[in-house]
Amino acid sequence: MTPDAALGAFRAAIVRSFPELEGASFTLLAPGWHSDAVDVDDRLVFKFPRHEAAEQALAREARLLGLVRTGVTMPVPDLRLHAGPPMFSHHGKLRGEHLLTRQYEALPERARQELAEKLGLFYAEIHRLDRPALEAAGARPIEAWIVPEEILRRIRPVLPEGLCAYADRTVAAWQELAADPHGTTYGFFDGHGWNMAFDHAAQRLNGVYDSADSGFGDLQQEFIYSNFISRDLTARIVGEYEVLTGRHLDRQRIELLSSVLRLSELAGSADDPEHLPAMLGHVADWAARGTV
């Protein structure tokens, strides 16, 4: 289906349930991994899952967000489901844009610290949510990364020679890593800049979205995703979190897991010519600035 045809089908489904939007402006957003999304009048977002597994994930995300929204200060989407057919969700749009590395680096000290304070509080609050209630709502372990030997097998044919030793060191260190002393927690586990609604004019974070990857995972893994924006931001978040929770986090562990994430994502895209260049770029850039 062409983008225009897809948008037409989505628009028809939306208007059937919301006839008051007949004259609204509809825009197809960049596709996600599991769903297509439509922006309506720059104030509403509708998500259409592509398959049954995506439908189940969207329903689970809606239930979990109902618990998260009442337990954290950070604004998150108020996701409402429509059974359809086709099944879809809608929520009020969180105002803001993605936060990328170059944009973060242009922020003044005050804005950087305020951002870290908001995210540190968000993680402290989401990690305190009631586990039995989350389990009853469908929370489950986060998706596991590809196993070490398979990562190396997949990436060696596509990895530049200069990065092979880096990959070997990273995977070896990961295999020797002890269990997280803080155990597991329910968390967001996707806190990169592509899931942030950042108001660049006001230099303020207005909320986070896309909780499809949330679930139970090792607590310190929560803090690796902001490294897609900046190590400086991650260091600030970690510092704020430690003050709020009294937990001491292992910076070297967070650095190592950030490296493993990039290699695992590269392994997952090794046979995908569309995404492979970007994943190689992530690994090369991270390795050039890293310490593993």
Side-chain angles (χ1 to χ4, degrees):
M1 188 181 297
T2 67
D4 287 344
L7 181 59
F10 297 148
R11 182 185 184 281
I14 293 168
V15 171
R16 278 198 300 271
S17 294
F18 298 90
E20 68 275 16
L21 296 177
E22 173 71 39
S25 174
F26 292 74
T27 305
L28 193 63
L29 298 176
W33 289 107
H34 304 295
S35 297
D36 295 293
V38 178
D39 180 298
V40 178
D41 277 349
D42 196 32
R43 63 185 182 85
L44 297 169
V45 175
F46 292 79
K47 291 174 66 175
F48 291 83
R50 297 197 192 102
H51 43 71
E52 184 178 354
E55 291 182 357
Q56 295 172 357
L58 186 62
R60 182 171 57 252
E61 182 181 4
R63 293 193 301 270
L64 291 171
L65 279 172
L67 297 173
V68 171
R69 193 169 55 255
T70 60
V72 303
T73 305
M74 179 77 71
V76 298
D78 184 3
L79 207 63
R80 305 298 178 91
L81 289 179
H82 299 264
M87 176 187 175
F88 64 89
S89 70
H90 88 280
H91 62 271
K93 184 175 181 179
L94 295 173
R95 297 287 181 176
E97 306 297 333
H98 298 161
L99 180 62
L100 307 181
T101 300
R102 58 180 173 77
Q103 296 164 330
Y104 176 80
E105 291 175 345
L107 292 175
E109 169 67 21
R110 172 196 56 79
R112 292 187 184 197
Q113 191 58 31
E114 287 180 358
L115 174 61
E117 290 169 4
K118 282 189 174 182
L119 289 167
L121 177 60
F122 171 60
Y123 293 132
E125 291 177 336
I126 200 171
H127 293 172
R128 289 199 294 261
L129 294 178
D130 183 65
R131 185 174 187 125
L134 291 160
E135 290 174 337
R140 60 188 188 183
I142 60 174
E143 183 177 356
W145 292 335
I146 299 169
V147 297
E149 298 80 3
E150 183 66 10
I151 286 179
L152 292 177
R153 186 190 71 79
R154 292 190 191 183
I155 68 176
R156 280 193 176 112
V158 300
L159 201 64
E161 184 176 349
L163 289 174
C164 290
Y166 165 81
D168 289 340
R169 289 196 308 272
T170 298
V171 170
W174 181 36
Q175 289 176 299
E176 295 173 0
L177 192 64
D180 192 325
H182 296 297
T184 63
T185 185
Y186 176 80
F188 186 39
F189 292 105
D190 213 15
H192 50 66
W194 297 288
N195 286 341
M196 294 183 183
F198 192 82
D199 183 336
H200 290 279
Q203 298 179 333
R204 179 179 62 237
L205 181 63
N206 288 338
V208 298
Y209 53 87
D210 195 352
S211 297
D213 291 326
S214 70
F216 297 110
D218 290 349
L219 184 142
Q220 293 183 87
Q221 186 175 326
E222 180 81 276
F223 299 91
I224 70 177
Y225 302 92
S226 55
N227 272 329
F228 279 114
I229 302 172
S230 169
R231 282 181 170 89
D232 174 77
L233 175 58
T234 297
R236 291 170 186 261
I237 294 170
V238 166
E240 292 297 321
Y241 182 87
E242 289 177 326
V243 170
L244 291 168
T245 65
R247 296 186 178 108
H248 174 71
L249 303 186
D250 184 341
R251 274 74 169 167
Q252 289 185 329
R253 184 187 191 97
I254 293 168
E255 176 83 7
L256 173 60
L257 292 176
S258 298
S259 300
V260 175
L261 172 62
R262 284 157 179 77
L263 293 178
S264 182
E265 291 192 337
L266 174 60
S269 299
D271 296 324
D272 181 354
E274 180 181 356
H275 295 103
L276 178 59
M279 296 305 174
L280 278 170
H282 288 318
V283 171
D285 181 66
W286 181 255
R289 306 183 188 199
T291 58
V292 174

